[in-house]
Amino acid sequence: MAGLDGAVSRLRRELAGYPVEFRDRAIAEDELAALAGMVADGAPEIARMRRSLLLIVGSIGSVSALGPALMGVRNAVDLFGEAPRPRR
């Protein structure tokens, strides 16, 4: 949890300091807030974390300056493992 918290905090700081506006910035900020909330609650849902990660990547993935911080969030989410598959 500490690794995810640190990675999310770093990306939030770097995104806040990024001077250029882009269309999907609000989506990235909302999903980072959702991840931070899961960390604060202490009960992250793996499927929800992965969904947030996908939305963040889709929102800021082309902003190369944020790449290292984004990779940190991805690596932290990956430590939680795969989301359980729905039963049929």
Side-chain angles (χ1 to χ4, degrees):
M1 292 293 282
L4 180 59
D5 184 43
V8 168
S9 294
R10 176 182 173 203
L11 184 53
R12 288 177 93 180
R13 279 191 314 273
E14 290 191 20
L15 182 58
Y18 188 70
V20 178
E21 284 300 316
F22 50 93
R23 183 176 41 179
D24 294 332
R25 184 181 196 129
I27 294 169
E29 290 169 342
D30 289 347
E31 294 304 320
L32 284 166
L35 284 174
M38 284 186 249
V39 169
D41 289 344
E45 294 177 45
I46 296 171
R48 177 66 174 104
M49 286 192 316
R50 292 202 166 278
R51 180 181 175 274
S52 290
L53 179 61
L54 286 173
L55 289 168
I56 294 165
V57 168
S59 300
I60 64 175
S62 65
V63 181
S64 61
L66 300 173
L70 179 57
M71 191 56 119
V73 172
R74 179 181 175 209
N75 291 338
V77 168
D78 283 346
L79 292 175
F80 287 87
E82 292 293 320
R85 296 189 185 271
R87 291 185 176 184
R88 292 183 178 211

